[in-house]
Amino acid sequence: MVITQQDNGEQTVTGTALLLAAAPANKSCLIDATSVLPALAAVPPTALTGTAAATVVELADPVDPQTVLTRIRTAAAAPGPLVLYVTGQLHLDHRQRLLHLALARTTPSTLRYTALPWHWLTGELALRRPDTTTVVLDLVADGDAWGQVRGGGFGVGPGVRLFGRVSPPPARRATAVPGYLKTYASIWRNGHRPPLAHLHAQAAGEAGPGDAVFLAVEGGPGSVPVAPRSPVPVARQEAVPVVEPRPDADPHPAILAAAQSGRHGEAAAIAAMWESTALRTHGAGSPEALHWLEVRADLARLAQDPGRSCELWMAAAEARLARGQEAGTEDVEAAVDRAHHQWEQLGDPAQARALAAPLTRLRRAVPGRRPGALDAIGRRISALENVPATP
């Protein structure tokens, strides 16, 4: 849903608000994330952005991380102020120790390719001009992610205003509610327009729980967290250097060095930043954007994440076909072959089952030069049907 509102008086700037509410639609759900959307929908759009004119984009329980990334990129490309409201739950990828935002189809065994890597979001925000972006969070963390949040390993990057709450996992069989953000909506619906720092202080005092982490960072990297009115913990966001992509720079040596040193998250984040720049400069489907998509696919291979690598190689093949390349061209066949190879490396039956259908469709369109590739997928699918799903 997209809403645009403009005042009749003199217009100064148009702001963009992106409302992202996501949680698994299964027993892994920890928070009723979308319950906050009706309350926010009742708020004037200009209250959400703090500008005279506003565009509001709503994402309710999305299922595909690539779709969410595309919507974030589109919102981040807007020239005016950007405010992201995110409610949902955080999980930790045990292999790479990276935080992910769970989406509707996320389960513990499919996290790496059904959830949104948090560094994807922060990488997009890093490309915006400093002090033009605000993030408001109301999140629940699972047990492993909670340990990382409490240890200070969570943030949105320098130059971004941040207000929010991250709560520990609720009691067994309980579901948390986004009460922190609902307090914002209640105040706005009453016609009040206090600064976000004041909203944060009131919401932090009312929402609880007592052991939640409340984040409040104003302005750039050197800013001091804004203390809430009640004695709740406030996490300081550490400043980290961000290197903007330069057209004359060659990032490949730094990316490879990071990957070879085991810093796979860092390598992936650098590549994602360059891909974002290529998308904005040259457009989707351009050779430059495709190059960085394939770099990310190979980085996932180096990180021993065959599910993610398979997904990215399939995306690269589909992008090449969409831009008019023939199914028999070398680049298209190579992308499909690599996707197929990575799929064969998957040891998790649930992951292999989830990726089997899109890979089969792609193999039908691009059979490749080795006979029997499509039959090989069918044989493995048949074998997987006899493997019980992981509880």
Side-chain angles (χ1 to χ4, degrees):
M1 177 180 68
V2 179
I3 305 170
T4 302
Q5 172 180 309
Q6 293 185 348
D7 290 349
N8 293 328
E10 182 181 355
Q11 179 180 343
T12 54
V13 66
T14 298
T16 300
L18 174 61
L19 315 181
L20 172 56
N26 52 54
K27 64 182 181 180
S28 300
C29 181
L30 302 177
I31 183 172
D32 185 7
T34 58
S35 66
V36 75
L37 293 179
L40 291 174
V43 173
T46 54
L48 296 171
T49 61
T51 55
T55 297
V56 180
V57 181
E58 181 180 300
L59 285 175
D61 277 336
V63 300
D64 177 45
Q66 289 288 346
T67 299
V68 177
L69 178 62
T70 299
R71 301 302 288 272
I72 292 172
R73 281 175 174 163
T74 301
L82 171 65
V83 187
L84 273 70
Y85 297 89
V86 184
T87 180
Q89 59 191 66
L90 292 172
H91 294 263
L92 188 68
D93 169 14
H94 293 284
R95 180 170 296 173
Q96 297 187 37
R97 310 299 297 176
L98 295 174
L99 290 170
H100 288 65
L101 180 73
L103 302 181
R105 294 178 180 169
T106 299
T107 65
S109 64
T110 64
L111 175 69
R112 288 190 298 275
Y113 57 94
T114 61
L116 179 77
W118 193 253
H119 67 268
W120 284 13
L121 184 148
T122 58
E124 296 302 316
L125 301 186
L127 299 176
R128 288 179 53 83
R129 287 185 295 109
D131 303 322
T132 62
T133 308
T134 303
V135 177
V136 183
L137 304 172
D138 196 348
L139 303 172
V140 171
D142 76 348
D144 295 324
W146 176 242
Q148 186 154 325
V149 171
R150 290 289 294 179
F154 177 71
V156 292
V160 178
R161 298 175 73 208
L162 171 64
F163 300 97
R165 173 186 71 166
V166 184
S167 303
R172 183 180 174 84
R173 303 193 182 189
T175 303
V177 296
Y180 171 87
L181 261 181
K182 287 184 176 181
T183 300
Y184 278 56
S186 176
I187 293 171
W188 281 327
R189 288 201 309 272
N190 289 330
H192 302 299
R193 302 291 183 268
L196 284 179
H198 294 175
L199 280 169
H200 168 77
Q202 185 164 344
E206 295 180 7
D211 55 349
V213 169
F214 288 86
L215 304 133
V217 178
E218 281 273 24
S223 63
V224 177
V226 180
R229 294 176 183 172
S230 59
V232 293
V234 178
R236 178 180 295 274
Q237 183 179 352
E238 297 295 335
V240 295
V242 175
V243 180
E244 295 289 341
R246 292 185 4 243
D248 60 338
D250 180 4
H252 296 85
I255 292 172
L256 183 59
Q260 290 177 337
S261 299
R263 305 191 312 274
H264 299 294
E266 177 185 333
I270 297 172
M273 184 179 297
W274 279 83
E275 183 188 4
S276 296
T277 300
L279 283 166
R280 293 179 183 177
T281 304
H282 304 285
S286 64
E288 293 83 1
L290 279 169
H291 167 75
W292 286 109
L293 179 58
E294 293 178 345
V295 167
R296 290 201 297 121
D298 206 42
L299 288 174
R301 177 189 64 82
L302 293 173
Q304 297 183 358
D305 188 349
R308 187 70 188 139
S309 183
C310 172
E311 183 183 43
L312 291 171
W313 279 118
M314 286 194 296
E318 289 165 356
R320 289 187 178 280
L321 291 170
R323 71 188 301 260
Q325 288 187 237
E326 296 292 333
T329 58
E330 182 178 354
D331 288 337
V332 174
E333 287 187 339
V336 179
D337 287 346
R338 287 165 180 162
H340 191 164
H341 176 72
Q342 289 298 299
W343 181 75
E344 292 283 357
Q345 307 310 304
L346 280 168
D348 186 340
Q351 289 182 327
R353 290 189 190 100
L355 291 175
L359 180 61
T360 299
R361 289 194 297 269
L362 197 52
R363 261 304 182 206
R364 289 195 179 110
V366 187
R369 302 187 182 185
R370 291 186 177 181
L374 189 59
D375 292 338
I377 296 177
R379 287 193 298 272
R380 190 172 189 220
I381 292 174
S382 298
L384 289 170
E385 290 175 352
N386 298 320
V387 178
T390 303

